[in-house]
Every structure is written in structure tokens, then in C-alpha cells.
């Protein structure tokens, strides 16, 4: 016979009574003071969740709840309940520490290899209309927000660069329809960028910087084509989607400040991936130059020319430039390893 | 502590018996199960985490109960995940639509807040009587959307009044069973709290800034250091506001003839806990979040007392109806959650 004291919570009101419960041969007796107040069949009672440090209550057939005073009290049951198993898992330190280690390893491995692989496959699987809409919207947004202004390059210069661009595409056996070149004026200096739909944007100052030696500009264009050929823009977008979603799901419980500080750590992961992509595009540029029978130093010369501008420009620009791109000296050296 | 009150109420401490590391273990095991099940188990994990915290919260020897069903939460979570995913995809892939989507989120925000409040309160019970929220969606739009816009238009001058109205809306619509909470907060306390916290932000800045003036440009470390220092001071000033308002609100809450509350939260203890929790969470990359949660609740509960009146024994218990968890889940993903502790 089991006898245990606890609280009896009535089903119909907020009343709570101090009672003694006894269980004998499958019958529960509830006694308050000396009088037996109620009697139930144990098999029709429901045992509630077991939680660490919380006494396990049972719901009686009349809807009332009995909660024992003793925390460790175990209700006799035919089979082990899920919450009891959980309760055991949750109280073992070595198991918990092993799970923490496994958790960290899983997250690390997933970010390190799972995310890039997954984004590569999704990028291949997505219809090309997605890239098209995405590229058009990005350009429109950049124009509308006046990040870019209309190019002020003279028509003759534009045509000269465009002719070289067409030749590059033809020589590399790339279809002209998948790519387009656009000129824009940008206040922050020489730059070129690739959009998802195959558009390459060249800033006026980049053309002016390399006007003396347009072979350098060709090499930069090949680097941008490398981004497009590898579907980098789409991959980056997919990657951000995965990381942001996971981050919200896992850390969504945190309050504002902690979440935003940890969130800025997420952007560091993004920068690391961005550097990998730059390296891939560099490799593409070097390889294409080689295939076209051009000297590979065209690209490293272009990087050197860019480096000079950004070093004169002051430290902050330099710093920002290096964070999303690999170290420029490393990129220049990469050629000699090929 | 049982002290008789003048209106035959008894003063009861809130006893919080949760262990930091006990909760940490429980949280980790449930997190691992959630990840292994690709997130499906997370609904069960949420119920279990909350059950643990509630099960360790005792008033007058009786524990709080969490009554939400995992399946309800799972359904809400799936829809919330789809919404979140489409939001992220839109902002990243289609930048032109993202402004439109932010606008939509802003527009449904009051609705989500009300749904989340209703859900959380409906599934919290004490002595078999459920809490609840009676605020209408219409007044939620007025309080959560229109008033902040007015406050901004007044260049912040009306903001303390807006905060006063918002709190009056939230707490004045709480229900215990079918009994409404009464709240007796004063607008001038909000003005006082805002002014004190602005002063506690400006005074340290006014003292430190002249000392460092001029050295910003030569030394980037001083510049970065002073940016962090100003964050710290802002955090401190915000804590001043939080403590003053928390004490004021809790002390003005009452369910007539049933219960009332007392709060004497001290600034030092509160600030130290919030700040050390923040540092702990950041350096553990979120892993010590459960420890931080228990620490925070311990401080809040130990500064709170409940006065119970005889009427508490004579309420009829609530029925077992279920609400949709959608609002709660969406708002917790989009950071619109509200915590009442």
C-alpha cells in the first residue's frame, strides 16, 4: 500500500485542499482529515508529465488533480512513459555535455560544408527566371536609390569597351544572349560587379583607370564572368536565406540585444563565404586568360592598379574592401601558383 | 511569509525552485531532439521548457500550469516558418518587394501581438483558473500602431504618455478566469521614469565626452571604446526606466477581492543580472540562454509578492478550449513577442 500526502485541486473550482492519498490494490482513496472523501479506480487515472524537480501529478477520473508534496515520488505504471525517459536523459550530465559537443560539431559541419553544397544544388535547380527577376530588381533598386547614376563616359569609349566584351564572350564560347554589359557612374571609385541575370556593371572610374591598358579591364571582366558562370550571386542569396532562417529558428528565443549582437556574428560567416567566391572568380579569370592565349599577369596587373587606388583612398575603404575580398597581395600571388 | 493584510489578504512570496543547471540540462536535451527531428520536436520542446519553468513557480504552495498542446504549437510554427521563409526570400532575392513586405508586417503587428498575448495567457493557469486577455484587435491597432506614430510626430514629447497608454491597454485587459484585472497606473510616473532615464544617460556622457574630445580622430581604439561605452550607458539608462516602470505597474495591478501584487525590484540587482546575462549569452553563442533565463526569473520573482484574498478559493475553473498558436509563433519569429513577468 502506498500512502502519500499532497494537494487536491478540484475540477470545478479554484479550491485547493490538503489531503492524503492511499493506493491499495488498484483503488485510490482520498482522505481529508480523518474522513474518506473520495474513491477511484487507479487504472482510469492519468499520470501527468514528469519534469526534473517537479512532483508528478495525476488527474483523477472526476477531473481533479492530485499533486504529491514529494518530488521524487514515482507512480506505479505498467510501461515507462516518454516524459519519464526524458526526465532521465535530462538529469545526466555526461549525456548533456556529449550532446552539447555533438550539437556544436553538427552546426559547425553544417555551416562549413552543408550550407555551400546545399546552396550550390539549389542554385542549379532554380529556374533561370528567378535569376532574371533578381538581377533586374537589383539593378532597378541600385538605380532608383541613386547608388548608381547614368554613365558619363563618352559614347566612343563605351563602344570600344563593348567591342572588347563581345570579343571576350565569343572567344570564350559563351552565348552573347546570357550576358550584358552596362556602364554606370558610382561615387565610391573604380568597381565592377556581376548581377544574377548575367549583367556586368562597370563603373566609369574603372574604365578611366584602365583606359591606358584595356587588357587589364578585360581581365576584370573575365573575373566578373567567373562570378556569373559559377552562379555566385544566386548561391550567395540562397546561402543567406538558409543561414538567416536557421539563425532565427535557433536563436529566436533570445531577447533583442543578445540576438542582434549574435546576429552580427552571422555576417562574419557570410564574409568568409564571399572570400571563397572571389577566389573562385579569380581562378576563372586566370584560367580564361590562359585559354585565350593571353598573359596571366593581365589580371594581377589589374589588381595592382586597383590596389594603388584603394591604398591612396585611405584606410577605411581599404579595410572594407579587404573584408569581403581576400587579401589583395594573396590574390596577385595566386597566379604564380598556377 | 504569511503576513495578514488590512483587507484580510495574505501576503505570499513567489517561490521559484528552478535550478539554473537543471534547466540547462533539460533545455539542451530538448534542443538536440529538436535538431535531430529537423525542428518538428521543437513544439514539444517548447511545451516542456515552459512546463518546467511553470512547475517550479509556486504561489501559496500551488504551482502554475502551462496548458498549451504541442500539436497546436507545431501547426502555428509551420505556418510561421513558411511566412518567415517567404519574407527572407523576398528581402534577399527581390529587394524591390521587401519594402512592401516590411509594410505588411508593420500592419499586421498589432494583430499578432494580441493573438500572442491571448494565446500565452489562455494557456497559463493557476488553481485551475486560466488567465486571459480581453483587449480587442481594434484597440490593439489604436494602441500599438496609431499611438506610437502620434508619439513620433510629437517629436517624442508624448512618448511617455504613449507608453502609459500601451501598458494600460495590456495590463488593464488581463483576465483571471472571467475577472478583469484593474490597473491604476499614473501617467506622471511614466514621464518621471523617462526623464530620470534620460538624465542617467546624459550625465555620464556629459562627464566623459569632454575628457575624450579631440582624441577620437587620432586613436581608433578610443573611438570604438567610446561607442561601446555609450551603448553601455544607454543600456544602463534603459534599465533604470524598466525597473521604475515594472515596480509601478506591478504595484498597481489588482483583481478585486482575489489578488493584488507588490514589487520592490532593486536597480542594482536587476541591472547586474541583465548585464551579466547578456555577456554570458554572447560569449556562449546562446548556449547559456537557459541559465540566463532562470537567473532573470529568480531576481524578478524574489522581488515580487502576491496578496491573496479569500475570494481566490471560490472561483469556478475554466473550460478547456483551445486557441490557435499562430499569432504566438509568428510573433516570436518576427520578434514581436511580449513578456509579462
Amino acid at each position: 500500500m502506498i500512502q502519500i500526502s499532497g494537494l487536491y485541486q478540484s475540477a470545478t473550482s479554484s479550491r485547493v485542499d490538503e489531503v492524503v492519498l492511499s493506493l491499495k490494490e488498484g483503488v485510490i482513496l482520498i482522505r481529508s482529515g480523518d474522513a474518506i472523501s473520495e474513491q477511484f479506480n487507479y487504472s482510469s487515472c492519468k499520470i501527468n508529465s514528469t519534469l526534473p524537480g517537479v512532483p508528478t501529478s495525476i488527474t483523477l477520473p472526476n477531473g481533479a488533480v492530485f499533486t504529491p508534496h514529494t518530488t521524487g515520488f514515482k507512480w506505479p505504471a505498467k510501461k515507462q512513459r516518454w516524459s519519464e525517459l526524458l526526465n532521465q536523459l535530462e538529469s545526466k550530465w555526461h549525456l548533456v555535455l556529449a550532446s552539447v559537443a555533438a550539437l556544436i560539431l553538427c552546426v559547425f559541419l553544417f555551416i562549413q560544408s552543408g550550407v555551400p553544397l546545399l546552396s550550390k544544388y539549389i542554385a542549379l535547380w532554380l529556374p533561370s527566371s528567378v535569376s532574371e527577376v533578381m538581377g533586374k530588381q537589383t539593378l532597378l533598386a541600385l538605380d532608383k536609390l541613386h547608388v548608381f547614376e547614368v554613365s558619363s563616359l563618352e559614347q566612343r569609349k563605351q563602344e570600344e569597351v563593348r567591342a572588347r566584351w563581345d570579343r571576350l564572350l565569343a572567344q570564350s564560347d559563351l552565348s552573347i544572349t546570357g550576358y550584358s554589359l552596362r556602364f554606370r557612374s558610382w561615387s565610391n571609385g573604380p568597381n565592377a560587379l556581376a548581377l544574377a541575370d548575367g549583367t556586368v556593371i562597370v563603373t566609369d572610374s574603372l574604365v578611366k583607370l584602365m583606359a591606358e591598358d584595356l587588357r587589364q579591364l578585360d581581365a576584370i571582366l573575365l573575373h566578373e564572368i567567373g562570378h556569373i558562370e559559377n552562379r555566385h550571386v544566386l548561391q550567395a542569396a540562397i546561402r543567406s536565406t538558409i543561414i538567416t532562417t536557421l539563425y532565427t529558428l535557433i536563436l529566436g528565443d533570445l531577447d533583442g540585444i543578445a540576438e542582434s549582437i549574435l546576429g552580427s556574428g552571422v555576417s562574419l560567416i557570410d564574409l568568409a563565404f564571399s572570400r571563397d567566391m572571389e577566389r573562385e572568380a579569380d581562378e576563372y579569370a586566370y584560367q580564361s586568360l590562359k585559354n585565350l592565349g593571353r598573359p596571366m599577369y593581365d589580371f594581377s596587373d589589374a589588381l595592382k592598379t586597383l590596389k594603388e587606388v584603394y591604398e591612396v583612398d585611405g584606410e577605411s575603404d581599404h579595410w572594407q574592401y579587404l573584408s569581403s575580398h581576400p587579401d589583395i597581395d594573396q590574390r596577385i600571388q595566386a597566379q604564380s601558383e598556377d | 511569509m504569511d503576513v495578514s493584510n488590512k483587507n484580510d489578504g495574505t501576503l505570499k512570496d513567489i517561490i521559484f525552485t528552478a535550478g539554473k543547471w537543471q534547466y540547462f540540462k533539460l533545455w539542451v536535451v530538448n534542443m538536440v531532439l529538436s535538431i535531430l527531428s529537423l525542428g518538428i520536436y521543437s513544439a514539444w520542446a517548447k511545451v516542456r521548457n515552459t512546463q518546467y519553468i511553470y512547475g517550479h513557480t509556486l504561489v501559496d504552495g500551488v504551482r502554475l500550469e502551462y496548458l498549451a498542446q504541442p500539436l497546436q504549437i507545431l501547426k502555428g510554427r509551420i505556418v510561421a516558418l513558411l511566412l518567415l521563409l517567404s519574407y527572407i526570400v523576398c528581402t534577399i532575392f527581390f529587394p524591390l518587394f521587401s519594402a512592401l513586405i516590411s509594410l505588411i508586417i508593420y500592419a499586421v503587428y498589432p494583430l499578432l501581438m494580441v493573438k500572442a498575448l491571448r494565446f500565452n495567457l489562455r494557456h497559463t493557469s493557476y488553481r485551475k483558473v486560466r488567465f486571459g486577455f480581453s483587449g480587442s484587435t481594434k484597440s490593439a491597432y489604436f494602441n500599438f500602431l496609431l499611438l506610437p506614430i502620434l508619439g513620433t510626430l510629437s517629436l517624442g514629447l508624448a512618448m511617455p504618455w504613449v507608453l502609459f497608454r500601451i501598458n494600460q491597454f495590456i495590463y488593464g485587459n488581463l483576465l483571471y478566469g472571467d475577472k478583469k484585472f484593474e490597473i491604476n497606473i499614473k501617467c506622471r510616473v511614466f514621464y518621471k521614469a523617462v526623464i530620470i532615464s534620460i538624465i542617467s544617460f546624459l550625465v555620464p556622457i556629459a562627464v566623459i565626452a569632454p575628457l575624450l574630445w579631440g582624441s577620437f580622430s587620432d586613436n581608433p581604439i578610443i573611438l570604438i571604446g567610446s561607442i561601446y561605452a555609450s551603448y553601455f550607458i544607454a543600456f544602463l539608462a534603459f534599465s533604470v526606466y524598466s525597473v521604475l516602470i515594472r515596480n509601478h505597474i506591478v504595484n498597481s495591478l489588482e483583481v478585486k477581492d482575489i489578488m493584488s501584487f507588490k514589487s520592490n525590484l532593486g536597480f542594482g540587482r536587476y541591472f547586474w543580472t541583465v548585464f551579466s546575462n547578456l555577456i554570458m549569452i554572447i560569449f556562449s553563442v546562446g548556449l547559456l540562454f537557459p541559465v540566463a533565463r532562470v537567473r532573470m526569473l529568480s531576481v524578478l520573482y524574489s522581488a515580487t509578492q502576491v496578496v491573496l484574498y479569500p475570494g481566490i478559493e471560490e472561483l469556478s475553473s475554466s473550460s478547456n478550449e483551445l486557441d490557435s498558436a499562430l499569432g504566438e509563433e509568428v510573433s516570436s519569429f518576427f520578434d514581436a513577442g511580449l513578456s509579462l513577468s
Side-chain angles (χ1 to χ4, degrees):
Chain A
M1 182 171 117
I2 297 169
Q3 195 158 30
I4 184 161
S5 62
L7 290 181
Y8 179 88
Q9 215 165 22
S10 135
T12 48
S13 82
S14 59
R15 229 185 117 88
V16 175
D17 288 303
E18 192 70 43
V19 298
V20 176
L21 177 146
S22 49
L23 172 60
K24 193 181 173 185
E25 288 157 10
V27 176
I28 280 185
L29 291 178
I30 305 278
R31 274 180 306 165
S32 140
D34 285 333
I36 293 178
S37 55
E38 271 165 300
Q39 187 171 341
F40 304 103
N41 238 336
Y42 181 61
S43 55
S44 40
C45 295
K46 187 182 152 277
I47 308 172
N48 296 321
S49 293
T50 302
L51 290 142
V54 183
T56 310
S57 59
I58 54 168
T59 305
L60 302 165
N62 67 351
V65 175
F66 173 82
T67 314
H69 287 314
T70 343
T71 302
F73 181 74
K74 261 187 89 169
W75 293 99
K78 287 196 192 77
K79 53 178 192 217
Q80 198 176 32
R81 287 169 306 120
W82 169 241
S83 74
E84 219 163 81
L85 181 72
L86 268 181
N87 187 39
Q88 281 169 21
L89 292 177
E90 286 155 359
S91 347
K92 294 197 170 65
W93 261 117
H94 55 271
L95 211 99
V96 169
L97 292 178
S99 339
V100 171
L103 203 68
I104 294 173
L105 193 74
C106 279
V107 170
F108 180 78
L109 280 179
F110 184 68
I111 290 176
Q112 178 83 14
S113 359
V115 172
L117 212 66
L118 205 59
S119 25
K120 208 166 240 173
Y121 281 114
I122 297 177
L124 287 173
W125 167 80
L126 278 180
S128 57
S129 54
V130 174
S131 322
E132 258 155 52
V133 176
M134 199 177 151
K136 284 202 178 67
Q137 288 219 348
T138 313
L139 185 61
L140 201 61
L142 289 169
D143 282 341
K144 284 263 193 270
L145 296 171
H146 295 280
V147 177
F148 288 146
E149 302 290 347
V150 180
S151 169
S152 55
L153 275 185
E154 48 199 283
Q155 204 58 40
R156 206 166 43 80
K157 199 80 207 168
Q158 284 193 20
E159 272 158 22
E160 191 185 348
V161 176
R162 201 176 288 281
R164 297 185 75 100
W165 159 265
D166 288 342
R167 205 162 59 221
L168 274 182
L169 288 179
Q171 285 173 346
S172 317
D173 286 329
L174 296 168
S175 83
I176 298 182
T177 47
Y179 297 86
S180 70
L181 181 69
R182 280 164 201 272
F183 298 93
R184 287 289 188 276
S185 156
W186 189 48
S187 54
N188 287 21
N191 207 344
L193 73 148
L195 302 182
D197 60 344
T199 305
V200 171
I201 298 171
V202 177
T203 67
D204 289 1
S205 46
L206 184 70
V207 178
K208 281 177 197 148
L209 181 71
M210 295 180 175
E212 313 263 293
D213 187 358
L214 284 174
R215 289 175 308 131
Q216 285 185 19
L217 186 60
D218 288 349
I220 299 282
L221 291 177
L222 284 172
H223 169 93
E224 299 306 327
I225 291 174
H227 279 313
I228 295 168
E229 279 292 281
N230 287 308
R231 291 177 162 246
H232 278 166
V233 184
L234 201 58
Q235 271 182 47
I238 295 166
R239 212 179 49 214
S240 302
T241 308
I242 298 176
I243 292 179
T244 318
T245 311
L246 283 181
Y247 157 77
T248 317
L249 290 185
I250 296 175
L251 297 179
D253 275 350
L254 304 184
D255 36 323
I257 309 173
E259 194 183 339
S260 54
I261 292 180
L262 287 179
S264 54
V266 173
S267 55
L268 284 181
I269 302 175
D270 231 34
L271 284 178
F273 284 125
S274 149
R275 285 195 292 272
D276 286 344
M277 291 190 165
E278 292 305 325
R279 271 186 217 108
E280 234 176 86
D282 284 359
E283 223 165 85
Y284 182 91
Y286 282 129
Q287 200 55 49
S288 305
L289 285 171
K290 200 168 151 191
N291 295 345
L292 295 175
R294 296 203 189 179
M296 293 206 290
Y297 57 73
D298 278 359
F299 186 60
S300 43
D301 281 352
L303 286 176
K304 279 177 200 156
T305 312
L306 275 174
K307 183 186 165 187
E308 276 166 30
V309 177
Y310 279 97
E311 270 180 357
V312 173
D313 244 25
E315 231 160 324
S316 59
D317 272 335
H318 189 65
W319 212 69
Q320 197 187 3
Y321 182 72
L322 287 187
S323 53
S324 62
H325 289 61
D327 180 55
I328 200 156
D329 292 321
Q330 273 178 24
R331 295 176 70 188
I332 293 168
Q333 266 173 14
Q335 172 227 349
S336 47
E337 286 159 23
D338 281 323
Chain B
M1 208 201 310
D2 280 30
V3 182
S4 270
N5 214 36
K6 46 183 188 236
N7 314 321
D8 12 298
T10 10
L11 197 60
K12 302 284 182 190
D13 285 328
I14 299 181
I15 311 285
F16 188 54
T17 55
K20 304 194 262 282
W21 297 106
Q22 196 173 42
Y23 183 53
F24 173 78
K25 288 189 281 185
L26 179 133
W27 185 86
V28 166
V29 168
N30 284 287
M31 176 66 100
V32 170
L33 289 174
S34 301
I35 289 177
L36 289 180
S37 65
L38 301 175
I40 295 168
Y41 188 77
S42 70
W44 279 260
K46 179 178 177 161
V47 170
R48 197 160 169 84
N49 288 340
T50 320
Q51 275 180 345
Y52 177 85
I53 295 291
Y54 281 21
H56 280 282
T57 311
L58 290 86
V59 177
D60 194 20
V62 181
R63 293 161 202 273
L64 286 187
E65 268 186 286
Y66 187 59
L67 304 167
Q69 294 297 314
L71 275 176
Q72 256 176 304
I73 293 182
L74 185 64
K75 271 188 232 155
R77 228 160 233 217
I78 290 171
V79 179
L81 178 66
L82 291 177
L83 287 178
L84 176 73
L85 205 65
S86 43
Y87 168 68
I88 294 173
V89 164
C90 275
T91 47
I92 291 174
F93 284 78
F94 313 116
L96 283 186
F97 295 148
S98 67
L100 183 75
I101 290 174
S102 315
L103 213 65
I104 293 175
I105 289 182
Y106 198 62
V108 294
Y109 173 81
L111 182 71
L112 290 178
M113 295 278 276
V114 171
K115 295 267 179 212
L117 271 172
R118 208 169 284 166
F119 181 82
N120 281 329
L121 288 159
R122 285 290 301 159
H123 295 95
T124 301
S125 91
Y126 175 65
R127 287 170 174 258
K128 293 235 157 217
V129 178
R130 288 168 184 250
F131 289 87
F133 185 73
S134 63
S136 70
T137 311
K138 206 169 109 191
S139 32
Y141 271 90
F142 177 74
N143 286 286
F144 292 139
L145 196 69
L146 196 64
L147 286 184
I149 293 174
L150 288 179
T152 316
L153 288 180
S154 73
L155 302 173
L157 286 179
M159 231 16 158
W161 174 76
V162 171
L163 291 168
F164 160 73
R165 287 296 304 258
I166 289 176
N167 279 294
Q168 203 168 39
F169 170 68
I170 296 172
Y171 293 93
N173 278 307
L174 298 184
L175 294 173
Y176 181 60
D178 51 5
K179 301 276 188 294
K180 212 165 171 161
F181 273 67
E182 281 167 30
I183 181 163
N184 191 11
I185 49 176
K186 303 266 185 305
C187 185
R188 63 183 154 78
V189 181
F190 282 77
Y191 271 94
K192 205 173 92 186
V194 167
I195 289 168
I196 293 175
S197 81
I198 288 175
I199 291 173
S200 46
F201 176 70
L202 289 182
V203 169
I205 297 278
V207 173
I208 300 169
L211 299 174
L212 298 174
W213 206 255
S215 42
F216 286 134
S217 47
D218 333 323
N219 197 337
I221 294 170
I222 293 186
L223 181 67
I224 293 169
S226 42
I227 290 172
Y228 277 108
S230 63
Y231 281 158
F232 178 79
I233 297 168
F235 190 60
L236 194 109
F238 184 70
S239 305
V240 171
Y241 170 82
S242 308
V243 170
L244 288 172
I245 291 304
R246 199 259 182 191
N247 283 337
H248 179 57
I249 289 176
V250 173
N251 284 322
S252 350
L253 268 182
E254 180 185 18
V255 188
K256 209 147 192 67
D257 298 329
I258 295 168
M259 58 172 94
S260 62
F261 303 88
K262 295 213 177 322
S263 168
N264 56 347
L265 185 59
F267 175 74
R269 232 180 129 206
Y270 174 80
F271 180 69
W272 162 245
T273 312
V274 176
F275 185 68
S276 53
N277 274 351
L278 180 66
I279 300 289
M280 203 159 80
I281 290 173
I282 290 167
F283 281 95
S284 66
V285 208
L287 210 60
L288 290 183
F289 164 71
V291 176
R293 186 172 179 202
V294 171
R295 290 184 69 212
M296 190 71 248
L297 289 175
S298 298
V299 169
L300 292 178
Y301 289 154
S302 69
T304 315
Q305 288 168 309
V306 184
V307 182
L308 294 178
Y309 299 92
I312 188 82
E313 296 267 356
E314 291 144 23
L315 293 165
S316 48
S317 68
S318 318
S319 60
N320 278 321
E321 52 191 282
L322 298 175
D323 291 283
S324 153
L326 182 60
E328 150 72 359
E329 292 307 317
V330 174
S331 59
S332 76
F333 282 174
F334 285 91
D335 254 356
L338 243 182
S339 60
L340 304 168
S341 29

